C-alpha cells in the first residue's frame, strides 16, 4: 500500500491535468463566419437536437435579407470525445432556397472553438431542365462571437 500510494497519486494528477486541458467544443451560442454571417444556436438537447437563427451577410437573390430559422442535430454517439460532428438546415425566410450545412466543432491549437463546415445551397428553378445549375457548394468557417458585456 505504501508503494502504491505515490503511483496512484501520479496517475490521479495526470488524469486530472488531461481532463482540464481537453477543452470541449460546444455548439451553443453566437457565431460569425468568414462571409460575416451571424448564427445563434440555442441549447442542444440530450438527443443532440438544436434550433436557432441565421442572419446571412450575402444572398444569391435580389431579395431583402431576413433572419431565418435553422434546425439541426449534433452527433451524440456513445464514443463522443468532445469535438462533435453536426448538421443543420437553414430554411430561408426571404427566398425559395434552402441550405444544408455539415461540419465539425473543433478546439484549435489556441484553445478557440471553430466550426469547419461545408454547405449545399439549393435554389428553386422553374424548369427541370435547369436542375443541373440549381445547387451551389461551398465552405464556411465559424468562430464564436464574443459578447460585448
Ligand atoms: C438565398 O440566397 O437564397 C439564401 C441565402 C443563402 C446564403 C448562403 S448559404 C451559404 C453561404 N454561407 C452564408 O453564410 N451565406 C451563404
Amino acid at each position: 500500500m505504501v508503494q502504491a500510494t505515490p503511483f496512484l497519486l501520479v496517475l490521479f494528477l495526470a488524469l486530472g491535468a488531461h481532463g482540464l486541458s481537453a477543452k470541449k467544443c460546444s455548439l451553443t451560442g453566437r457565431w460569425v463566419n468568414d462571409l460575416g454571417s451571424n448564427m445563434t444556436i440555442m441549447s442542444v438537447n440530450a438527443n443532440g437536437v438544436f434550433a436557432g437563427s441565421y442572419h446571412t451577410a450575402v444572398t444569391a437573390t435580389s431579395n431583402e435579407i431576413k433572419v431565418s430559422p435553422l434546425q439541426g442535430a449534433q452527433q451524440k454517439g456513445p464514443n463522443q470525445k468532445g469535438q462533435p460532428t453536426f448538421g443543420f438546415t437553414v430554411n430561408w425566410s426571404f427566398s425559395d432556397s434552402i441550405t444544408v450545412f455539415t461540419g465539425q466543432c473543433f478546439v484549435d491549437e489556441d484553445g478557440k472553438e471553430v466550426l469547419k463546415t461545408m454547405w449545399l445551397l439549393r435554389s428553386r428553378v422553374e424548369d427541370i431542365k435547369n436542375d443541373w445549375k440549381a445547387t451551389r457548394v461551398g465552405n464556411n468557417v465559424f468562430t464564436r462571437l464574443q459578447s460585448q458585456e
Side-chain angles (χ1 to χ4, degrees):
M1 180 60 194
V2 176
Q3 284 165 338
T5 303
F7 170 74
L8 288 174
L9 186 65
V10 169
L11 185 66
F12 177 77
L13 289 173
L15 288 174
H18 179 72
L20 287 176
S21 66
K23 185 181 169 188
K24 291 188 176 167
C25 188
S26 163
L27 289 175
T28 306
R30 296 172 64 216
W31 301 88
V32 59
N33 74 16
D34 50 297
L35 291 170
S37 299
N38 282 253
M39 169 172 80
T40 301
I41 295 180
M42 307 303 179
S43 59
V44 180
N45 79 13
N47 295 322
V49 173
F50 59 84
S53 59
Y54 202 106
H55 191 179
T56 182
V58 297
T59 174
T61 71
S62 55
N63 302 341
E64 182 191 341
I65 291 171
K66 293 192 175 129
V67 176
S68 301
L70 71 82
Q71 289 183 299
Q74 169 188 324
Q75 175 54 251
K76 282 276 184 181
N79 300 314
Q80 284 304 312
K81 297 188 186 91
Q83 297 197 105
T85 55
F86 61 87
F88 62 86
T89 300
V90 186
N91 192 356
W92 302 107
S93 55
F94 60 92
S95 82
D96 294 330
S97 311
I98 202 151
T99 302
V100 289
F101 286 81
T102 186
Q104 187 169 351
C105 188
F106 289 105
V107 178
D108 73 11
E109 53 198 8
D110 300 324
K112 286 169 96 177
E113 293 164 299
V114 57
L115 309 181
K116 295 281 222 170
T117 70
M118 287 197 70
W119 51 261
L120 293 172
L121 166 59
R122 173 70 194 206
S123 299
R124 181 181 178 280
V125 286
E126 192 66 36
D127 193 323
I128 195 171
K129 289 193 184 108
N130 292 327
D131 177 68
W132 66 272
K133 62 177 179 182
T135 306
R136 293 170 169 87
V137 61
N139 70 284
N140 281 137
V141 180
F142 294 81
T143 52
R144 198 175 276 286
L145 254 179
Q146 304 304 326
S147 60
Q148 301 293 307
E149 296 157 31

